[in-house]
Amino acid sequence: MSSNIMIKIENVKKFYTKSHALNNVTVTMNAGEEYLIRGASGSGKSTLLYLLGGLERPTEGKVIVNQKDLSELNDEELALYRNRYVGFVFQFHFLLSSMNCLENILLPARLGGVYTDEVKERAISLAKLLQVEHCLEKFPYELSGGEQQRINIIRALSLKPKLLLCDEPTGNLDSENSQKVIQLLRSLAREFGATLVVVTHDPQIAQSFSNQLLMKDGVLVTQ
Ligand code: ADP
Ligand code: MG
């Protein structure tokens, strides 16, 4: 896969047992651009991010990343795609309680066999920038929700992902830190040449994005 990521979602449907989460979504996302996804709760925003990031597979249709259909990848190849190319910032953070925050941040690098001193130095400098350096040696349960969220963001950025997927990334932050986090996500995405996809309800953040996608009942209604 070449370095910058271009995505085509073609006629994608995702059904769960009783309901459809996505009902025929088609969209193209250009490498290095920023996309904002809005929509009511339950409209399919998170599901769309999971499909982009290879965490879920579509029931029908295709998710094509740099001309490669993700459905042709087996589970191991899909895991490699996630590790090498995708950074996730979830609405609820998934820090492991058994290790300190620095180890949590470094986990993707260790799991992917790409840990270097540079990865660690980057983690520390991002922690300084987000004012959570004092948290690195602590365990997640010793941190506030906002601090945990910033550690989560640093972990997502640790391997310079080419696709950065953020699901309500500022949900736990006050407005000053929200602005800071969004600015950081945008400037780092630009620095890595990454495609940035953000789901948010925050109107102040939303209005500054040039590419706006609106989800309604599993359908993309505007682009
Ligand atoms: P949003 O992020 O916009 O709130 P989601 O993508 O989480 O929406 O959910 C879209 C729809 O799919 C909702 O109706 C939700 O209940 C359903 N859904 C999501 N995940 C699952 C799941 N794992 N099992 C069953 N239904 C699900
Ligand atoms: Mg959601």
Side-chain angles (χ1 to χ4, degrees):
M1 214 177 269
S2 71
S3 57
N4 285 359
I5 278 187
M6 198 255 200
I7 297 164
K8 274 178 193 270
I9 291 188
E10 291 180 1
N11 305 312
V12 160
K13 298 185 182 185
K14 177 71 180 175
F15 294 106
Y16 292 106
T17 40
K18 286 191 194 134
S19 58
H20 65 258
L22 295 177
N23 196 3
N24 219 12
V25 171
T26 296
V27 62
T28 298
M29 293 179 175
N30 296 317
E33 288 196 23
E34 303 175 334
Y35 294 84
L36 186 106
I37 304 178
R38 289 182 298 126
S41 178
S43 60
K45 305 180 298 296
S46 296
T47 305
L48 187 61
L49 290 193
Y50 298 157
L51 290 167
L52 287 170
L55 282 171
E56 295 266 11
R57 294 175 183 276
T59 312
E60 278 180 37
K62 290 180 177 176
V63 179
I64 299 168
V65 180
N66 290 356
Q67 279 107 46
K68 181 90 186 159
D69 184 352
L70 291 189
S71 68
E72 290 167 8
L73 304 182
N74 63 31
D75 288 350
E76 203 177 319
E77 290 165 335
L78 206 56
L80 192 66
Y81 163 71
R82 290 196 297 267
N83 186 265
R84 290 295 147 82
Y85 292 97
V86 185
F88 284 103
V89 179
F90 291 103
Q91 185 174 5
F92 304 105
H93 22 81
F94 289 96
L95 298 173
L96 298 182
S97 56
S98 60
M99 47 179 79
N100 75 26
C101 289
L102 183 60
E103 287 306 319
N104 264 285
I105 291 169
L106 301 179
L107 194 60
R110 295 205 200 280
L111 291 176
V114 292
Y115 176 79
T116 59
D117 284 348
E118 193 208 328
V119 174
K120 184 175 174 178
E121 280 155 24
R122 268 176 47 74
I124 294 170
S125 73
L126 286 172
K128 282 183 189 157
L129 205 63
L130 284 178
Q131 295 173 355
V132 283
E133 198 191 3
H134 63 287
C135 299
L136 291 175
E137 302 296 323
K138 292 185 180 174
F139 287 84
Y141 63 83
E142 299 179 279
L143 274 55
S144 71
E147 288 168 341
Q148 289 184 28
Q149 186 66 314
R150 281 174 277 164
I151 295 294
N152 192 39
I153 287 164
I154 296 166
R155 181 175 58 179
L157 294 168
S158 64
L159 294 183
K160 301 187 182 180
K162 289 294 178 186
L163 176 59
L164 189 51
L165 304 173
C166 305
D167 199 347
E168 304 189 31
T170 60
N172 287 307
L173 302 176
D174 57 41
S175 73
E176 189 194 332
N177 274 312
S178 295
Q179 292 299 332
K180 219 185 241 179
V181 160
I182 291 292
Q183 287 317 321
L184 181 79
L185 290 171
R186 297 176 99 170
S187 69
L188 289 170
R190 249 173 259 139
E191 185 188 323
F192 311 155
T195 307
L196 176 66
V197 187
V198 177
V199 170
T200 187
H201 290 295
D202 185 327
Q204 226 186 331
I205 291 170
Q207 68 180 7
S208 62
F209 279 72
S210 48
N211 297 303
Q212 306 257 340
L213 308 176
L214 180 62
M215 299 283 311
K216 200 172 178 186
D217 281 337
V219 177
L220 213 48
V221 290
T222 56
Q223 191 181 343

